[in-house]
């Protein structure tokens, strides 16, 4: 649903999803010369609802907005709501011959063990500034995003999972010098940068696991189209070495395509 006037817009939406699938955990136990393979299969399912509302307003006066560049301020809020997650667990124990690694005997335990848990709601809040030039193409954008979810009350088979509260903060922006009538190809490219900080729900050796880093990205314009080929990099650090914990430093790369062309549009002039 969308409520609109000339200078501002309120949009209300709802996203639903049914999440299901198996999670398989396998471990190997060694007892002298005996080897036992333990396979735990969890089939989980839950229903998600995500209501959200967005408010968007033009900045400046109506007269200047008609001929000059336009800047919009937006604020959005949403909640990820989950139904009780259900799970059916089946545990299998396999005796393995240490000489041939073949399964000698297979026993199945807890075949019909059921589990139900309430997943915490996730709350999201974001702000953005978007600027469109006199050619009506987006020139720059700046956005921030906040998220929170209380995983400290989550329990697994009636036992508290020992998780922590999750919250995150992200800020980023992008800039396109001139998209329309730009003879220099680099002026049609989009340049992106950002920072992120995640306080994850994982607790290890009494340490809160923090994930933070920076991102850089480029959007390559495909000639004679509105399509972009996007290339992004993230450099970050996760964890700590305090109390014997593990710290990880990583570099991630992602590639994507934004297809903005109008399909099946018959041109009158070329």
């Amino acid at each position: 649903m969308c409520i609109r006037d000339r200078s501002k817009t309120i949009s209300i939406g709802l996203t639903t999803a049914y999440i299901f699938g198996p999670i398989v955990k396998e471990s190997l136990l060694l007892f002298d010369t005996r080897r036992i393979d333990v396979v735990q299969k969890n089939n989980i399912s839950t229903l998600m609802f995500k209501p959200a509302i967005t408010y968007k307003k033009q900045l400046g006066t109506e007269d200047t907005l008609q001929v000059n560049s336009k800047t919009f301020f937006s604020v959005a809020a949403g909640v990820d709501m989950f139904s009780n997650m259900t799970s059916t667990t089946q545990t299998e124990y396999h005796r393995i011959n240490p000489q041939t690694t073949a399964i000698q005997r297979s026993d199945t335990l807890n075949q019909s063990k059921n589990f139900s848990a309430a997943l915490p709601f996730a709350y999201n809040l974001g702000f953005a500034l978007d600027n469109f030039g006199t050619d009506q193409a987006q020139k720059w954008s700046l956005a921030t995003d906040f998220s929170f979810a209380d995983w400290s009350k989550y329990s697994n088979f009636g036992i508290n999972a020992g998780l922590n509260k999750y919250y995150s903060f992200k800020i980023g922006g992008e800039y396109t010098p001139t998209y329309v009538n730009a003879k220099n190809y680099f002026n049609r490219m989009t340049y992106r940068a950002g920072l992120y900080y995640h306080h994850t729900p994982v607790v290890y050796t009494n340490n809160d696991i923090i994930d933070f880093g920076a991102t850089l990205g480029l959007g390559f314009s495909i000639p004679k189209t509105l399509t972009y080929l996007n290339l992004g990099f993230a450099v970050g650090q996760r964890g700590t070495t305090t109390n014997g914990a593990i710290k990880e430093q990583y570099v991630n790369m992602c590639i994507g395509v934004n297809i903005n062309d109008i399909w099946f549009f018959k041109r009158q002039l070329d």
Side-chain angles (χ1 to χ4, degrees):
M1 182 176 68
C2 181
I3 304 172
R4 180 189 297 271
D5 65 21
R6 295 186 63 185
S7 61
K8 48 185 174 290
T9 302
I10 298 177
S11 301
I12 301 174
L14 175 66
T15 300
T16 62
Y18 179 65
I19 304 172
F20 65 96
I23 298 177
V24 180
K25 180 180 179 181
E26 186 171 357
S27 57
L28 182 65
L29 304 179
L30 301 177
F31 299 97
D32 297 329
T33 59
R34 292 175 296 174
R35 298 176 60 185
I36 299 178
D37 186 33
V38 182
V39 180
Q40 187 180 67
K41 301 178 182 179
N42 297 298
N43 292 300
I44 64 171
S45 63
T46 184
L47 188 63
M48 184 193 75
F49 298 92
K50 187 175 181 179
I53 183 171
T54 301
Y55 173 77
K56 185 176 183 179
K57 177 179 174 56
Q58 295 179 354
L59 302 181
T61 63
E62 283 292 319
D63 292 337
T64 58
L65 291 174
Q66 297 300 320
V67 295
N68 296 331
S69 62
K70 300 180 181 180
T71 301
F72 296 87
F73 170 75
S74 303
V75 57
V79 182
D80 297 346
M81 307 168 62
F82 298 90
S83 65
N84 280 3
M85 182 184 68
T86 59
S87 173
T88 301
T89 301
Q90 177 178 308
T91 304
E92 297 179 356
Y93 294 85
H94 305 292
R95 292 184 183 180
I96 300 177
N97 188 325
Q99 303 297 328
T100 63
T101 68
I103 297 178
Q104 292 179 313
R105 181 180 177 185
S106 179
D107 296 323
T108 301
L109 301 178
N110 302 327
Q111 184 172 1
S112 60
K113 189 172 184 179
N114 296 321
F115 161 68
S116 178
L119 296 178
F121 289 3
Y123 304 92
N124 307 289
L125 179 65
F127 302 90
L129 283 173
D130 299 286
N131 178 267
F132 293 81
T134 55
D135 54 10
Q136 304 304 311
Q138 182 168 318
K139 194 172 184 65
W140 57 264
S141 176
L142 180 65
T144 62
D145 182 75
F146 306 89
S147 299
F148 172 80
D150 188 1
W151 282 91
S152 61
K153 299 178 182 179
Y154 174 75
S155 60
N156 190 1
F157 288 99
I159 301 174
N160 189 283
L163 300 176
N164 210 337
K165 294 181 179 179
Y166 166 83
Y167 54 86
S168 71
F169 169 75
K170 291 173 282 186
I171 182 170
E174 66 177 31
Y175 173 69
T176 305
T178 304
Y179 181 79
V180 180
N181 298 326
K183 296 181 180 180
N184 190 333
Y185 178 79
F186 294 100
N187 286 339
R188 297 199 305 269
M189 291 178 58
T190 299
Y191 305 87
R192 303 183 177 96
L195 299 171
Y196 61 90
Y197 176 91
H198 302 301
H199 184 279
T200 73
V202 179
V203 180
Y204 185 71
T205 63
N206 295 323
N207 292 304
D208 296 343
I209 303 302
I210 308 298
D211 184 7
F212 65 92
T215 60
L216 290 174
L218 294 172
F220 298 92
S221 172
I222 306 299
K224 297 183 179 181
T225 71
L226 298 177
T227 300
Y228 269 85
L229 175 65
N230 299 305
L231 179 64
F233 298 91
V235 180
Q237 177 178 298
R238 182 187 300 114
T240 178
T241 56
T242 305
N243 296 331
I246 299 175
K247 181 171 67 175
E248 175 189 20
Q249 295 177 333
Y250 59 86
V251 177
N252 293 333
M253 183 183 72
C254 61
I255 299 176
V257 178
N258 286 348
I259 301 176
N260 299 317
D261 288 328
I262 302 176
W263 297 100
F264 309 111
F265 178 76
K266 184 178 181 179
R267 297 187 180 186
Q268 303 299 323
L269 298 174
D270 195 349

